[in-house]
Amino acid sequence: LELGAGTGRLVLALARRGHRVVRVDVSAGMLAVARRVTSAVRRAPPALVRGDMRYLPVRGPFGLIVCARDTFLHLPDANAQVLALRAAAAVLDAAGTLVIDLPGPAGDLWDWDPGARPLTLDWSREAGGSRLTRLSTFRADGAAQTRAVTEIYEELEPDGVVRRFVVEYSLQYVFPAEARLLLAAGGLRLQAVYGNYDLSPFDSGSERMILAASPARPIV
């Protein structure tokens, strides 16, 4: 099960390896893109389900649940994060694993200096005869552990017409000690924390904070 799977990049990779994958996302637009991306998968086509990860519209049990690449931070506050963890625990197999991929302390996403950042050019590329460019800025609030992000997409068409789209969203960050408490409140137990995708140890120099958790054992 992948939570908040976006355009289906990870779902596609898992399905191509023969895994049976269920993907949940709250965005109808993202699901539409994912359907196109995964339409060629024949061996084990993924199930794409529209729904909120706080109130999962699927049944388990799942051996692996993944919330990849900062998706968990889109939940608006700690209460919402606990709801999502409880929903995941409810459909996780007793021997299964939940993996949450978050920013680590050495990454640029842990910049807590107050105030707005200068507008940054993220990338510019050709797309269907037009040039598409993304610029971004953000405002950090260290006390609230949030980042208000603004992304600007500009499309320069061959005739010189420029179209601009602005996307704004907020991220609710999770710190290492807090992660243990959130998992416990969600009925889960932390198994391991990794500092990168090579499963290296987590420390102050880690760019990622990858949490692996299992269902909490009942108290007897």
mmCIF file with all atom_site columns, all heavy atoms in Angstrom, residues 2-8 23-36 48-53 57 71 74 167:
data_model
loop_
_atom_site.group_PDB
_atom_site.id
_atom_site.type_symbol
_atom_site.label_atom_id
_atom_site.label_alt_id
_atom_site.label_comp_id
_atom_site.label_asym_id
_atom_site.label_entity_id
_atom_site.label_seq_id
_atom_site.pdbx_PDB_ins_code
_atom_site.Cartn_x
_atom_site.Cartn_y
_atom_site.Cartn_z
_atom_site.occupancy
_atom_site.B_iso_or_equiv
_atom_site.pdbx_formal_charge
_atom_site.auth_seq_id
_atom_site.auth_comp_id
_atom_site.auth_asym_id
_atom_site.auth_atom_id
_atom_site.pdbx_PDB_model_num
ATOM 1   N N   . GLU A 1 2   ? 0.651   2.143  -0.957  1.00 0.00 ? 2   GLU A N   1
ATOM 2   C CA  . GLU A 1 2   ? 1.367   3.412  -0.941  1.00 0.00 ? 2   GLU A CA  1
ATOM 3   C C   . GLU A 1 2   ? 0.399   4.528  -0.613  1.00 0.00 ? 2   GLU A C   1
ATOM 4   O O   . GLU A 1 2   ? -0.666  4.658  -1.234  1.00 0.00 ? 2   GLU A O   1
ATOM 5   C CB  . GLU A 1 2   ? 2.065   3.702  -2.264  1.00 0.00 ? 2   GLU A CB  1
ATOM 6   C CG  . GLU A 1 2   ? 2.904   4.977  -2.148  1.00 0.00 ? 2   GLU A CG  1
ATOM 7   C CD  . GLU A 1 2   ? 3.680   5.336  -3.395  1.00 0.00 ? 2   GLU A CD  1
ATOM 8   O OE1 . GLU A 1 2   ? 3.467   4.716  -4.446  1.00 0.00 ? 2   GLU A OE1 1
ATOM 9   O OE2 . GLU A 1 2   ? 4.494   6.270  -3.311  1.00 0.00 ? 2   GLU A OE2 1
ATOM 10  N N   . LEU A 1 3   ? 0.775   5.357  0.345   1.00 0.00 ? 3   LEU A N   1
ATOM 11  C CA  . LEU A 1 3   ? -0.062  6.463  0.799   1.00 0.00 ? 3   LEU A CA  1
ATOM 12  C C   . LEU A 1 3   ? 0.373   7.747  0.116   1.00 0.00 ? 3   LEU A C   1
ATOM 13  O O   . LEU A 1 3   ? 1.536   8.129  0.164   1.00 0.00 ? 3   LEU A O   1
ATOM 14  C CB  . LEU A 1 3   ? 0.059   6.619  2.319   1.00 0.00 ? 3   LEU A CB  1
ATOM 15  C CG  . LEU A 1 3   ? -0.222  5.372  3.153   1.00 0.00 ? 3   LEU A CG  1
ATOM 16  C CD1 . LEU A 1 3   ? 0.019   5.669  4.629   1.00 0.00 ? 3   LEU A CD1 1
ATOM 17  C CD2 . LEU A 1 3   ? -1.650  4.891  2.925   1.00 0.00 ? 3   LEU A CD2 1
ATOM 18  N N   . GLY A 1 4   ? -0.590  8.430  -0.525  1.00 0.00 ? 4   GLY A N   1
ATOM 19  C CA  . GLY A 1 4   ? -0.267  9.676  -1.198  1.00 0.00 ? 4   GLY A CA  1
ATOM 20  C C   . GLY A 1 4   ? 0.740   9.484  -2.302  1.00 0.00 ? 4   GLY A C   1
ATOM 21  O O   . GLY A 1 4   ? 1.807   10.114 -2.314  1.00 0.00 ? 4   GLY A O   1
ATOM 22  N N   . ALA A 1 5   ? 0.416   8.651  -3.264  1.00 0.00 ? 5   ALA A N   1
ATOM 23  C CA  . ALA A 1 5   ? 1.418   8.167  -4.220  1.00 0.00 ? 5   ALA A CA  1
ATOM 24  C C   . ALA A 1 5   ? 1.653   9.091  -5.407  1.00 0.00 ? 5   ALA A C   1
ATOM 25  O O   . ALA A 1 5   ? 2.411   8.755  -6.305  1.00 0.00 ? 5   ALA A O   1
ATOM 26  C CB  . ALA A 1 5   ? 1.013   6.789  -4.723  1.00 0.00 ? 5   ALA A CB  1
ATOM 27  N N   . GLY A 1 6   ? 0.998   10.255 -5.443  1.00 0.00 ? 6   GLY A N   1
ATOM 28  C CA  . GLY A 1 6   ? 1.284   11.220 -6.498  1.00 0.00 ? 6   GLY A CA  1
ATOM 29  C C   . GLY A 1 6   ? 1.026   10.675 -7.891  1.00 0.00 ? 6   GLY A C   1
ATOM 30  O O   . GLY A 1 6   ? -0.002  10.051 -8.151  1.00 0.00 ? 6   GLY A O   1
ATOM 31  N N   . THR A 1 7   ? 1.976   10.903 -8.793  1.00 0.00 ? 7   THR A N   1
ATOM 32  C CA  . THR A 1 7   ? 1.791   10.520 -10.191 1.00 0.00 ? 7   THR A CA  1
ATOM 33  C C   . THR A 1 7   ? 2.104   9.063  -10.466 1.00 0.00 ? 7   THR A C   1
ATOM 34  O O   . THR A 1 7   ? 2.047   8.626  -11.617 1.00 0.00 ? 7   THR A O   1
ATOM 35  C CB  . THR A 1 7   ? 2.674   11.391 -11.097 1.00 0.00 ? 7   THR A CB  1
ATOM 36  O OG1 . THR A 1 7   ? 4.042   11.263 -10.682 1.00 0.00 ? 7   THR A OG1 1
ATOM 37  C CG2 . THR A 1 7   ? 2.265   12.858 -10.998 1.00 0.00 ? 7   THR A CG2 1
ATOM 38  N N   . GLY A 1 8   ? 2.457   8.295  -9.451  1.00 0.00 ? 8   GLY A N   1
ATOM 39  C CA  . GLY A 1 8   ? 2.600   6.852  -9.641  1.00 0.00 ? 8   GLY A CA  1
ATOM 40  C C   . GLY A 1 8   ? 3.999   6.362  -9.931  1.00 0.00 ? 8   GLY A C   1
ATOM 41  O O   . GLY A 1 8   ? 4.181   5.207  -10.322 1.00 0.00 ? 8   GLY A O   1
ATOM 42  N N   . ARG A 1 23  ? -2.714  1.831  -4.310  1.00 0.00 ? 23  ARG A N   1
ATOM 43  C CA  . ARG A 1 23  ? -2.247  3.198  -4.181  1.00 0.00 ? 23  ARG A CA  1
ATOM 44  C C   . ARG A 1 23  ? -3.419  4.085  -3.809  1.00 0.00 ? 23  ARG A C   1
ATOM 45  O O   . ARG A 1 23  ? -4.479  4.049  -4.438  1.00 0.00 ? 23  ARG A O   1
ATOM 46  C CB  . ARG A 1 23  ? -1.623  3.640  -5.500  1.00 0.00 ? 23  ARG A CB  1
ATOM 47  C CG  . ARG A 1 23  ? -1.174  5.079  -5.528  1.00 0.00 ? 23  ARG A CG  1
ATOM 48  C CD  . ARG A 1 23  ? -2.140  5.941  -6.307  1.00 0.00 ? 23  ARG A CD  1
ATOM 49  N NE  . ARG A 1 23  ? -1.753  7.327  -6.129  1.00 0.00 ? 23  ARG A NE  1
ATOM 50  C CZ  . ARG A 1 23  ? -1.844  8.243  -7.070  1.00 0.00 ? 23  ARG A CZ  1
ATOM 51  N NH1 . ARG A 1 23  ? -2.343  7.956  -8.245  1.00 0.00 ? 23  ARG A NH1 1
ATOM 52  N NH2 . ARG A 1 23  ? -1.483  9.486  -6.831  1.00 0.00 ? 23  ARG A NH2 1
ATOM 53  N N   . VAL A 1 24  ? -3.261  4.879  -2.746  1.00 0.00 ? 24  VAL A N   1
ATOM 54  C CA  . VAL A 1 24  ? -4.305  5.793  -2.284  1.00 0.00 ? 24  VAL A CA  1
ATOM 55  C C   . VAL A 1 24  ? -3.799  7.224  -2.406  1.00 0.00 ? 24  VAL A C   1
ATOM 56  O O   . VAL A 1 24  ? -2.688  7.538  -1.982  1.00 0.00 ? 24  VAL A O   1
ATOM 57  C CB  . VAL A 1 24  ? -4.694  5.508  -0.819  1.00 0.00 ? 24  VAL A CB  1
ATOM 58  C CG1 . VAL A 1 24  ? -5.662  6.560  -0.297  1.00 0.00 ? 24  VAL A CG1 1
ATOM 59  C CG2 . VAL A 1 24  ? -5.318  4.120  -0.695  1.00 0.00 ? 24  VAL A CG2 1
ATOM 60  N N   . ASP A 1 25  ? -4.623  8.093  -2.995  1.00 0.00 ? 25  ASP A N   1
ATOM 61  C CA  . ASP A 1 25  ? -4.286  9.510  -3.079  1.00 0.00 ? 25  ASP A CA  1
ATOM 62  C C   . ASP A 1 25  ? -5.582  10.312 -3.028  1.00 0.00 ? 25  ASP A C   1
ATOM 63  O O   . ASP A 1 25  ? -6.611  9.874  -3.553  1.00 0.00 ? 25  ASP A O   1
ATOM 64  C CB  . ASP A 1 25  ? -3.522  9.823  -4.360  1.00 0.00 ? 25  ASP A CB  1
ATOM 65  C CG  . ASP A 1 25  ? -2.740  11.125 -4.255  1.00 0.00 ? 25  ASP A CG  1
ATOM 66  O OD1 . ASP A 1 25  ? -3.361  12.195 -4.212  1.00 0.00 ? 25  ASP A OD1 1
ATOM 67  O OD2 . ASP A 1 25  ? -1.497  11.060 -4.179  1.00 0.00 ? 25  ASP A OD2 1
ATOM 68  N N   . VAL A 1 26  ? -5.523  11.482 -2.401  1.00 0.00 ? 26  VAL A N   1
ATOM 69  C CA  . VAL A 1 26  ? -6.719  12.314 -2.255  1.00 0.00 ? 26  VAL A CA  1
ATOM 70  C C   . VAL A 1 26  ? -7.007  13.126 -3.515  1.00 0.00 ? 26  VAL A C   1
ATOM 71  O O   . VAL A 1 26  ? -8.111  13.639 -3.687  1.00 0.00 ? 26  VAL A O   1
ATOM 72  C CB  . VAL A 1 26  ? -6.556  13.253 -1.031  1.00 0.00 ? 26  VAL A CB  1
ATOM 73  C CG1 . VAL A 1 26  ? -5.580  14.383 -1.337  1.00 0.00 ? 26  VAL A CG1 1
ATOM 74  C CG2 . VAL A 1 26  ? -7.896  13.786 -0.559  1.00 0.00 ? 26  VAL A CG2 1
ATOM 75  N N   . SER A 1 27  ? -6.029  13.214 -4.415  1.00 0.00 ? 27  SER A N   1
ATOM 76  C CA  . SER A 1 27  ? -6.155  14.067 -5.601  1.00 0.00 ? 27  SER A CA  1
ATOM 77  C C   . SER A 1 27  ? -6.635  13.282 -6.816  1.00 0.00 ? 27  SER A C   1
ATOM 78  O O   . SER A 1 27  ? -5.981  12.339 -7.266  1.00 0.00 ? 27  SER A O   1
ATOM 79  C CB  . SER A 1 27  ? -4.797  14.709 -5.920  1.00 0.00 ? 27  SER A CB  1
ATOM 80  O OG  . SER A 1 27  ? -4.812  15.319 -7.192  1.00 0.00 ? 27  SER A OG  1
ATOM 81  N N   . ALA A 1 28  ? -7.777  13.701 -7.368  1.00 0.00 ? 28  ALA A N   1
ATOM 82  C CA  . ALA A 1 28  ? -8.287  13.070 -8.583  1.00 0.00 ? 28  ALA A CA  1
ATOM 83  C C   . ALA A 1 28  ? -7.339  13.299 -9.756  1.00 0.00 ? 28  ALA A C   1
ATOM 84  O O   . ALA A 1 28  ? -7.155  12.424 -10.613 1.00 0.00 ? 28  ALA A O   1
ATOM 85  C CB  . ALA A 1 28  ? -9.673  13.606 -8.912  1.00 0.00 ? 28  ALA A CB  1
ATOM 86  N N   . GLY A 1 29  ? -6.713  14.477 -9.806  1.00 0.00 ? 29  GLY A N   1
ATOM 87  C CA  . GLY A 1 29  ? -5.776  14.773 -10.882 1.00 0.00 ? 29  GLY A CA  1
ATOM 88  C C   . GLY A 1 29  ? -4.553  13.879 -10.844 1.00 0.00 ? 29  GLY A C   1
ATOM 89  O O   . GLY A 1 29  ? -4.094  13.379 -11.878 1.00 0.00 ? 29  GLY A O   1
ATOM 90  N N   . MET A 1 30  ? -4.021  13.653 -9.645  1.00 0.00 ? 30  MET A N   1
ATOM 91  C CA  . MET A 1 30  ? -2.874  12.756 -9.502  1.00 0.00 ? 30  MET A CA  1
ATOM 92  C C   . MET A 1 30  ? -3.231  11.335 -9.905  1.00 0.00 ? 30  MET A C   1
ATOM 93  O O   . MET A 1 30  ? -2.455  10.636 -10.564 1.00 0.00 ? 30  MET A O   1
ATOM 94  C CB  . MET A 1 30  ? -2.369  12.773 -8.060  1.00 0.00 ? 30  MET A CB  1
ATOM 95  C CG  . MET A 1 30  ? -1.673  14.054 -7.657  1.00 0.00 ? 30  MET A CG  1
ATOM 96  S SD  . MET A 1 30  ? -0.071  14.230 -8.465  1.00 0.00 ? 30  MET A SD  1
ATOM 97  C CE  . MET A 1 30  ? 0.618   15.578 -7.490  1.00 0.00 ? 30  MET A CE  1
ATOM 98  N N   . LEU A 1 31  ? -4.425  10.896 -9.510  1.00 0.00 ? 31  LEU A N   1
ATOM 99  C CA  . LEU A 1 31  ? -4.865  9.543  -9.877  1.00 0.00 ? 31  LEU A CA  1
ATOM 100 C C   . LEU A 1 31  ? -4.977  9.393  -11.387 1.00 0.00 ? 31  LEU A C   1
ATOM 101 O O   . LEU A 1 31  ? -4.637  8.352  -11.954 1.00 0.00 ? 31  LEU A O   1
ATOM 102 C CB  . LEU A 1 31  ? -6.203  9.230  -9.213  1.00 0.00 ? 31  LEU A CB  1
ATOM 103 C CG  . LEU A 1 31  ? -6.148  8.906  -7.721  1.00 0.00 ? 31  LEU A CG  1
ATOM 104 C CD1 . LEU A 1 31  ? -7.559  8.882  -7.142  1.00 0.00 ? 31  LEU A CD1 1
ATOM 105 C CD2 . LEU A 1 31  ? -5.467  7.572  -7.479  1.00 0.00 ? 31  LEU A CD2 1
ATOM 106 N N   . ALA A 1 32  ? -5.460  10.440 -12.060 1.00 0.00 ? 32  ALA A N   1
ATOM 107 C CA  . ALA A 1 32  ? -5.591  10.386 -13.519 1.00 0.00 ? 32  ALA A CA  1
ATOM 108 C C   . ALA A 1 32  ? -4.231  10.228 -14.181 1.00 0.00 ? 32  ALA A C   1
ATOM 109 O O   . ALA A 1 32  ? -4.068  9.437  -15.126 1.00 0.00 ? 32  ALA A O   1
ATOM 110 C CB  . ALA A 1 32  ? -6.287  11.648 -14.028 1.00 0.00 ? 32  ALA A CB  1
ATOM 111 N N   . VAL A 1 33  ? -3.232  10.964 -13.686 1.00 0.00 ? 33  VAL A N   1
ATOM 112 C CA  . VAL A 1 33  ? -1.878  10.827 -14.223 1.00 0.00 ? 33  VAL A CA  1
ATOM 113 C C   . VAL A 1 33  ? -1.334  9.434  -13.937 1.00 0.00 ? 33  VAL A C   1
ATOM 114 O O   . VAL A 1 33  ? -0.735  8.790  -14.806 1.00 0.00 ? 33  VAL A O   1
ATOM 115 C CB  . VAL A 1 33  ? -0.950  11.902 -13.616 1.00 0.00 ? 33  VAL A CB  1
ATOM 116 C CG1 . VAL A 1 33  ? 0.488   11.665 -14.056 1.00 0.00 ? 33  VAL A CG1 1
ATOM 117 C CG2 . VAL A 1 33  ? -1.407  13.292 -14.033 1.00 0.00 ? 33  VAL A CG2 1
ATOM 118 N N   . ALA A 1 34  ? -1.554  8.938  -12.720 1.00 0.00 ? 34  ALA A N   1
ATOM 119 C CA  . ALA A 1 34  ? -1.056  7.616  -12.341 1.00 0.00 ? 34  ALA A CA  1
ATOM 120 C C   . ALA A 1 34  ? -1.677  6.524  -13.212 1.00 0.00 ? 34  ALA A C   1
ATOM 121 O O   . ALA A 1 34  ? -1.006  5.540  -13.545 1.00 0.00 ? 34  ALA A O   1
ATOM 122 C CB  . ALA A 1 34  ? -1.336  7.357  -10.878 1.00 0.00 ? 34  ALA A CB  1
ATOM 123 N N   . ARG A 1 35  ? -2.926  6.677  -13.548 1.00 0.00 ? 35  ARG A N   1
ATOM 124 C CA  . ARG A 1 35  ? -3.574  5.672  -14.415 1.00 0.00 ? 35  ARG A CA  1
ATOM 125 C C   . ARG A 1 35  ? -2.898  5.620  -15.773 1.00 0.00 ? 35  ARG A C   1
ATOM 126 O O   . ARG A 1 35  ? -2.701  4.549  -16.348 1.00 0.00 ? 35  ARG A O   1
ATOM 127 C CB  . ARG A 1 35  ? -5.063  5.974  -14.559 1.00 0.00 ? 35  ARG A CB  1
ATOM 128 C CG  . ARG A 1 35  ? -5.879  5.666  -13.323 1.00 0.00 ? 35  ARG A CG  1
ATOM 129 C CD  . ARG A 1 35  ? -7.374  5.715  -13.597 1.00 0.00 ? 35  ARG A CD  1
ATOM 130 N NE  . ARG A 1 35  ? -8.125  5.414  -12.381 1.00 0.00 ? 35  ARG A NE  1
ATOM 131 C CZ  . ARG A 1 35  ? -8.585  6.316  -11.536 1.00 0.00 ? 35  ARG A CZ  1
ATOM 132 N NH1 . ARG A 1 35  ? -8.396  7.610  -11.796 1.00 0.00 ? 35  ARG A NH1 1
ATOM 133 N NH2 . ARG A 1 35  ? -9.229  5.962  -10.447 1.00 0.00 ? 35  ARG A NH2 1
ATOM 134 N N   . ARG A 1 36  ? -2.552  6.789  -16.317 1.00 0.00 ? 36  ARG A N   1
ATOM 135 C CA  . ARG A 1 36  ? -1.852  6.812  -17.608 1.00 0.00 ? 36  ARG A CA  1
ATOM 136 C C   . ARG A 1 36  ? -0.464  6.209  -17.474 1.00 0.00 ? 36  ARG A C   1
ATOM 137 O O   . ARG A 1 36  ? -0.025  5.434  -18.328 1.00 0.00 ? 36  ARG A O   1
ATOM 138 C CB  . ARG A 1 36  ? -1.751  8.249  -18.130 1.00 0.00 ? 36  ARG A CB  1
ATOM 139 C CG  . ARG A 1 36  ? -3.080  8.883  -18.505 1.00 0.00 ? 36  ARG A CG  1
ATOM 140 C CD  . ARG A 1 36  ? -2.889  10.114 -19.368 1.00 0.00 ? 36  ARG A CD  1
ATOM 141 N NE  . ARG A 1 36  ? -2.130  11.157 -18.689 1.00 0.00 ? 36  ARG A NE  1
ATOM 142 C CZ  . ARG A 1 36  ? -2.683  12.106 -17.942 1.00 0.00 ? 36  ARG A CZ  1
ATOM 143 N NH1 . ARG A 1 36  ? -3.997  12.135 -17.760 1.00 0.00 ? 36  ARG A NH1 1
ATOM 144 N NH2 . ARG A 1 36  ? -1.934  13.029 -17.376 1.00 0.00 ? 36  ARG A NH2 1
ATOM 145 N N   . LEU A 1 48  ? -5.773  1.723  -8.014  1.00 0.00 ? 48  LEU A N   1
ATOM 146 C CA  . LEU A 1 48  ? -5.668  3.145  -7.697  1.00 0.00 ? 48  LEU A CA  1
ATOM 147 C C   . LEU A 1 48  ? -6.973  3.596  -7.051  1.00 0.00 ? 48  LEU A C   1
ATOM 148 O O   . LEU A 1 48  ? -8.041  3.518  -7.661  1.00 0.00 ? 48  LEU A O   1
ATOM 149 C CB  . LEU A 1 48  ? -5.389  3.947  -8.963  1.00 0.00 ? 48  LEU A CB  1
ATOM 150 C CG  . LEU A 1 48  ? -4.167  3.480  -9.781  1.00 0.00 ? 48  LEU A CG  1
ATOM 151 C CD1 . LEU A 1 48  ? -4.023  4.320  -11.042 1.00 0.00 ? 48  LEU A CD1 1
ATOM 152 C CD2 . LEU A 1 48  ? -2.907  3.560  -8.949  1.00 0.00 ? 48  LEU A CD2 1
ATOM 153 N N   . VAL A 1 49  ? -6.881  4.085  -5.823  1.00 0.00 ? 49  VAL A N   1
ATOM 154 C CA  . VAL A 1 49  ? -8.065  4.396  -5.022  1.00 0.00 ? 49  VAL A CA  1
ATOM 155 C C   . VAL A 1 49  ? -7.987  5.841  -4.555  1.00 0.00 ? 49  VAL A C   1
ATOM 156 O O   . VAL A 1 49  ? -6.955  6.265  -4.012  1.00 0.00 ? 49  VAL A O   1
ATOM 157 C CB  . VAL A 1 49  ? -8.173  3.462  -3.798  1.00 0.00 ? 49  VAL A CB  1
ATOM 158 C CG1 . VAL A 1 49  ? -9.421  3.783  -2.989  1.00 0.00 ? 49  VAL A CG1 1
ATOM 159 C CG2 . VAL A 1 49  ? -8.165  2.005  -4.239  1.00 0.00 ? 49  VAL A CG2 1
ATOM 160 N N   . ARG A 1 50  ? -9.076  6.576  -4.741  1.00 0.00 ? 50  ARG A N   1
ATOM 161 C CA  . ARG A 1 50  ? -9.106  7.942  -4.239  1.00 0.00 ? 50  ARG A CA  1
ATOM 162 C C   . ARG A 1 50  ? -9.553  7.936  -2.772  1.00 0.00 ? 50  ARG A C   1
ATOM 163 O O   . ARG A 1 50  ? -10.571 7.328  -2.425  1.00 0.00 ? 50  ARG A O   1
ATOM 164 C CB  . ARG A 1 50  ? -10.048 8.817  -5.052  1.00 0.00 ? 50  ARG A CB  1
ATOM 165 C CG  . ARG A 1 50  ? -9.966  10.291 -4.643  1.00 0.00 ? 50  ARG A CG  1
ATOM 166 C CD  . ARG A 1 50  ? -10.843 11.172 -5.481  1.00 0.00 ? 50  ARG A CD  1
ATOM 167 N NE  . ARG A 1 50  ? -10.660 12.572 -5.102  1.00 0.00 ? 50  ARG A NE  1
ATOM 168 C CZ  . ARG A 1 50  ? -11.394 13.576 -5.579  1.00 0.00 ? 50  ARG A CZ  1
ATOM 169 N NH1 . ARG A 1 50  ? -12.355 13.330 -6.471  1.00 0.00 ? 50  ARG A NH1 1
ATOM 170 N NH2 . ARG A 1 50  ? -11.166 14.817 -5.177  1.00 0.00 ? 50  ARG A NH2 1
ATOM 171 N N   . GLY A 1 51  ? -8.775  8.594  -1.928  1.00 0.00 ? 51  GLY A N   1
ATOM 172 C CA  . GLY A 1 51  ? -9.126  8.638  -0.516  1.00 0.00 ? 51  GLY A CA  1
ATOM 173 C C   . GLY A 1 51  ? -8.104  9.393  0.297   1.00 0.00 ? 51  GLY A C   1
ATOM 174 O O   . GLY A 1 51  ? -6.988  9.661  -0.158  1.00 0.00 ? 51  GLY A O   1
ATOM 175 N N   . ASP A 1 52  ? -8.481  9.735  1.496   1.00 0.00 ? 52  ASP A N   1
ATOM 176 C CA  . ASP A 1 52  ? -7.652  10.465 2.451   1.00 0.00 ? 52  ASP A CA  1
ATOM 177 C C   . ASP A 1 52  ? -6.894  9.450  3.304   1.00 0.00 ? 52  ASP A C   1
ATOM 178 O O   . ASP A 1 52  ? -7.503  8.512  3.825   1.00 0.00 ? 52  ASP A O   1
ATOM 179 C CB  . ASP A 1 52  ? -8.564  11.333 3.328   1.00 0.00 ? 52  ASP A CB  1
ATOM 180 C CG  . ASP A 1 52  ? -7.795  12.322 4.195   1.00 0.00 ? 52  ASP A CG  1
ATOM 181 O OD1 . ASP A 1 52  ? -6.736  11.955 4.737   1.00 0.00 ? 52  ASP A OD1 1
ATOM 182 O OD2 . ASP A 1 52  ? -8.271  13.454 4.346   1.00 0.00 ? 52  ASP A OD2 1
ATOM 183 N N   . MET A 1 53  ? -5.585  9.622  3.466   1.00 0.00 ? 53  MET A N   1
ATOM 184 C CA  . MET A 1 53  ? -4.806  8.649  4.227   1.00 0.00 ? 53  MET A CA  1
ATOM 185 C C   . MET A 1 53  ? -5.185  8.634  5.704   1.00 0.00 ? 53  MET A C   1
ATOM 186 O O   . MET A 1 53  ? -4.842  7.696  6.421   1.00 0.00 ? 53  MET A O   1
ATOM 187 C CB  . MET A 1 53  ? -3.309  8.900  4.052   1.00 0.00 ? 53  MET A CB  1
ATOM 188 C CG  . MET A 1 53  ? -2.761  10.112 4.744   1.00 0.00 ? 53  MET A CG  1
ATOM 189 S SD  . MET A 1 53  ? -0.943  10.200 4.650   1.00 0.00 ? 53  MET A SD  1
ATOM 190 C CE  . MET A 1 53  ? -0.727  10.722 2.953   1.00 0.00 ? 53  MET A CE  1
ATOM 191 N N   . PRO A 1 57  ? -9.772  4.124  2.660   1.00 0.00 ? 57  PRO A N   1
ATOM 192 C CA  . PRO A 1 57  ? -10.909 3.411  2.088   1.00 0.00 ? 57  PRO A CA  1
ATOM 193 C C   . PRO A 1 57  ? -10.530 2.030  1.563   1.00 0.00 ? 57  PRO A C   1
ATOM 194 O O   . PRO A 1 57  ? -11.080 1.567  0.559   1.00 0.00 ? 57  PRO A O   1
ATOM 195 C CB  . PRO A 1 57  ? -11.340 4.345  0.950   1.00 0.00 ? 57  PRO A CB  1
ATOM 196 C CG  . PRO A 1 57  ? -10.053 4.926  0.465   1.00 0.00 ? 57  PRO A CG  1
ATOM 197 C CD  . PRO A 1 57  ? -9.162  5.049  1.685   1.00 0.00 ? 57  PRO A CD  1
ATOM 198 N N   . THR A 1 71  ? 5.742   13.014 1.681   1.00 0.00 ? 71  THR A N   1
ATOM 199 C CA  . THR A 1 71  ? 4.282   13.061 1.554   1.00 0.00 ? 71  THR A CA  1
ATOM 200 C C   . THR A 1 71  ? 3.606   13.219 2.909   1.00 0.00 ? 71  THR A C   1
ATOM 201 O O   . THR A 1 71  ? 2.600   13.929 3.037   1.00 0.00 ? 71  THR A O   1
ATOM 202 C CB  . THR A 1 71  ? 3.776   11.784 0.863   1.00 0.00 ? 71  THR A CB  1
ATOM 203 O OG1 . THR A 1 71  ? 4.374   11.694 -0.436  1.00 0.00 ? 71  THR A OG1 1
ATOM 204 C CG2 . THR A 1 71  ? 2.275   11.785 0.720   1.00 0.00 ? 71  THR A CG2 1
ATOM 205 N N   . HIS A 1 74  ? 2.531   16.657 4.309   1.00 0.00 ? 74  HIS A N   1
ATOM 206 C CA  . HIS A 1 74  ? 1.375   17.394 3.784   1.00 0.00 ? 74  HIS A CA  1
ATOM 207 C C   . HIS A 1 74  ? 0.164   17.290 4.710   1.00 0.00 ? 74  HIS A C   1
ATOM 208 O O   . HIS A 1 74  ? -0.799  18.050 4.539   1.00 0.00 ? 74  HIS A O   1
ATOM 209 C CB  . HIS A 1 74  ? 1.013   16.884 2.388   1.00 0.00 ? 74  HIS A CB  1
ATOM 210 C CG  . HIS A 1 74  ? 1.972   17.326 1.330   1.00 0.00 ? 74  HIS A CG  1
ATOM 211 N ND1 . HIS A 1 74  ? 1.858   18.535 0.666   1.00 0.00 ? 74  HIS A ND1 1
ATOM 212 C CD2 . HIS A 1 74  ? 3.085   16.736 0.818   1.00 0.00 ? 74  HIS A CD2 1
ATOM 213 C CE1 . HIS A 1 74  ? 2.832   18.668 -0.202  1.00 0.00 ? 74  HIS A CE1 1
ATOM 214 N NE2 . HIS A 1 74  ? 3.596   17.580 -0.130  1.00 0.00 ? 74  HIS A NE2 1
ATOM 215 N N   . VAL A 1 167 ? 1.226   27.539 -7.214  1.00 0.00 ? 167 VAL A N   1
ATOM 216 C CA  . VAL A 1 167 ? 0.782   26.506 -6.279  1.00 0.00 ? 167 VAL A CA  1
ATOM 217 C C   . VAL A 1 167 ? 1.307   26.873 -4.886  1.00 0.00 ? 167 VAL A C   1
ATOM 218 O O   . VAL A 1 167 ? 2.495   27.152 -4.730  1.00 0.00 ? 167 VAL A O   1
ATOM 219 C CB  . VAL A 1 167 ? 1.307   25.112 -6.675  1.00 0.00 ? 167 VAL A CB  1
ATOM 220 C CG1 . VAL A 1 167 ? 0.862   24.060 -5.670  1.00 0.00 ? 167 VAL A CG1 1
ATOM 221 C CG2 . VAL A 1 167 ? 0.861   24.753 -8.078  1.00 0.00 ? 167 VAL A CG2 1
#
